[in-house]
Amino acid sequence: MTFLKNFMLTITLLSVFITGCNSVVEPKNNNEVLETNATPDKDVKTQQFSVDNKEVIATNLNVPWSITKSGDVFFITERTGKILKIDKAGMTREDVQLDKQLLVYGEGGLLGMELHPDFQENGLAFAYHTYGTEEAVNNRIVTLKYDGTAWKETEVLLENIDGAIFHNGGRIKVGPDDKLYVTVGDANEPESAQNQELLTGSILRLNLDGTVPEDNPIPGSYVYSYGHRNPQGLAWDKDTGEMYASEHGPSAFDEINLIKKGKNYGWPTYTGEEHAEEVEAPLFHSGTDTWAPSGIFVENGILYAASLRGEMVRAFDISSKQQSVLWKENGRIRDVWKEGDSIYFITNNTDGRGNPVPEDDQLIRLDLSLD
């Protein structure tokens, strides 16, 4: 499927629900076009997309957080400390051996995971996890080695990152420049996001061996951008190389940002479109609504975002500044992954803030097509 830039996504949902038993439910139309923070050109045309098929790939996930994939195999972290291997044979819950004990507290635990670019050859991956005590929460970035059945920490890349019961960030991705990017929340200390000497409230950039890249904006510092509250999504548009992040706002004013090297994104001084000349304004924000955006994926100028409190998958057309609801079922959604004409997402109803149904949480696939 080809998405054309400068076109608005208006999603018409005609969903066919297929469970593991291939039972079929009558299609529903849940399309909802939302207000945006920018007025599109008057000549923007409408493309219609359909969800032709919904399939539940795996069930009974335990507070899943991050999706990554190698070939036909999904690897999904669970905040409680396991990594799920999901393939055609089914789902296996695999052990993770860490050198420092995992702290599952508040929004912390085993969070982001990213496979090494040479994972199929070296079996390496990167992970972000919470450790310490409830009185002294910290986060760390480590390298894991996979032996085919379990994961073991082999190297610590960065630790002693200040954490808290809330706002730990946690998304970790390898960028097109083969650098490691990591989102860090403000750890419930809003003013820390404006202190460039601290790691909190920032997006970090590391070499894959944990050293500081020489071309980082602040010499000797991991900080790539700052002024963030609780960023939880990272993605790049492969065509343009541009980097995007999603960020939780203060009960509203959630953001989708274009991330630029060394820039200030305003928290806690500015939210929404309010910004000084030296502060980057968001591409999109939720205004007085709450999305609680988490994982994102970008392709062909369209940004897909998982929404927790908003309980949906949203699609943002970056050029036309339009946004639509792609899916509004299954409750809280933590992360998304796109491949070909399919969108995959994980629900997050077992995290203590949702209303889980039997067999929650789930990995679900939506098959899309042009009308």
Side-chain angles (χ1 to χ4, degrees):
M1 177 179 59
T2 301
F3 291 93
L4 301 178
K5 292 186 177 182
N6 300 320
F7 279 25
M8 166 186 172
L9 269 183
T10 303
I11 293 101
T12 303
L13 293 179
L14 300 171
S15 63
V16 179
F17 175 38
I18 297 183
T19 67
C21 299
N22 291 331
S23 59
V24 176
V25 175
E26 189 148 337
K28 298 179 181 179
N29 186 348
N30 287 326
N31 184 61
E32 179 185 355
V33 178
L34 303 175
E35 294 181 0
T36 180
N37 67 332
T39 303
D41 295 335
K42 294 181 178 179
D43 61 351
V44 170
K45 299 180 181 178
T46 298
Q47 280 193 341
Q48 300 291 330
F49 295 93
S50 294
V51 174
D52 291 335
N53 186 57
K54 171 189 169 184
E55 181 179 2
V56 178
I57 305 296
T59 61
N60 296 306
L61 285 63
N62 187 13
V63 199
W65 210 90
S66 179
I67 302 174
T68 191
K69 195 169 185 283
S70 175
D72 294 330
V73 181
F74 285 97
F75 294 105
I76 296 175
T77 59
E78 292 182 314
R79 256 178 43 200
T80 49
K82 301 288 186 178
I83 292 175
L84 301 175
K85 177 183 179 180
I86 302 172
D87 57 17
K88 293 180 180 178
M91 183 176 78
T92 305
R93 187 167 273 112
E94 300 179 326
D95 291 332
V96 181
Q97 181 180 334
L98 299 167
D99 291 347
K100 293 193 176 180
Q101 186 173 353
L102 181 73
L103 178 65
V104 183
Y105 174 57
E107 295 175 350
L110 181 57
L111 303 177
M113 175 183 175
E114 177 79 328
L115 302 180
H116 190 283
D118 299 321
F119 172 75
Q120 293 187 355
E121 288 74 37
N122 62 25
L124 296 179
F126 307 101
Y128 183 102
H129 80 89
T130 310
Y131 71 107
T133 66
E134 293 183 5
E135 293 73 31
V137 180
N138 283 286
N139 294 289
R140 62 202 297 262
I141 304 163
V142 300
T143 301
L144 302 177
K145 175 73 174 181
Y146 185 51
D147 67 6
T149 60
W151 304 78
K152 182 179 180 180
E153 179 181 330
T154 59
E155 185 179 6
V156 56
L157 302 183
L158 181 62
E159 58 185 5
N160 297 319
I161 302 170
D162 289 343
I165 184 173
F166 305 125
H167 300 184
N168 291 292
R171 194 65 59 186
I172 182 168
K173 295 286 183 180
V174 175
D177 55 358
D178 283 335
K179 305 297 182 184
L180 199 62
Y181 291 80
V182 184
T183 69
V184 180
D186 67 8
N188 289 343
E189 296 289 344
E191 295 301 329
S192 71
Q194 288 297 316
N195 187 341
Q196 297 176 57
E197 295 182 358
L198 302 177
L199 300 183
T200 45
S202 303
I203 294 176
L204 311 182
R205 181 175 182 257
L206 297 73
N207 291 318
L208 299 187
D209 63 1
T211 57
V212 178
E214 292 183 358
D215 58 345
N216 269 11
I218 303 172
S221 172
Y222 291 108
V223 174
Y224 187 78
S225 64
Y226 65 102
H228 300 288
R229 183 175 182 269
N230 191 23
Q232 286 198 359
L234 280 177
W236 287 260
D237 188 315
K238 293 180 181 179
D239 293 333
T240 66
E242 291 179 323
M243 176 183 175
Y244 299 89
S246 64
E247 182 170 336
H248 291 199
S251 299
F253 295 101
D254 300 312
E255 297 180 354
I256 301 295
N257 286 300
L258 172 64
I259 302 300
K260 300 177 182 179
K261 180 178 180 178
K263 295 298 184 179
N264 179 3
Y265 287 80
W267 175 255
T269 308
Y270 301 99
T271 58
E273 293 180 55
E274 297 179 357
H275 65 286
E277 184 177 351
E278 67 275 11
V279 171
E280 297 295 310
L283 294 179
F284 300 88
H285 68 80
S286 66
T288 56
D289 293 334
T290 299
W291 300 334
S294 190
I296 62 176
F297 197 100
V298 183
E299 186 177 69
N300 296 321
I302 307 299
L303 185 148
Y304 305 89
S307 183
L308 292 161
R309 185 169 175 182
E311 298 190 347
M312 60 187 69
V313 178
R314 294 174 181 268
F316 298 86
D317 187 310
I318 295 167
S319 293
S320 69
K321 298 297 189 294
Q322 294 297 299
Q323 55 176 296
S324 301
V325 174
L326 176 60
W327 189 254
K328 194 178 181 181
E329 296 183 13
N330 303 106
R332 294 166 61 82
I333 300 174
R334 174 63 71 177
D335 199 11
V336 292
W337 182 277
K338 187 174 185 297
E339 191 169 276
D341 293 346
S342 296
I343 293 283
Y344 298 84
F345 64 86
I346 46 176
T347 65
N348 218 203
N349 297 313
T350 60
D351 69 350
R353 294 175 173 175
N355 297 300
V357 300
E359 298 192 330
D360 264 344
D361 277 309
Q362 303 178 23
L363 170 65
I364 296 172
R365 187 186 77 224
L366 305 177
D367 295 328
L368 310 178
S369 69
L370 274 168
D371 283 351

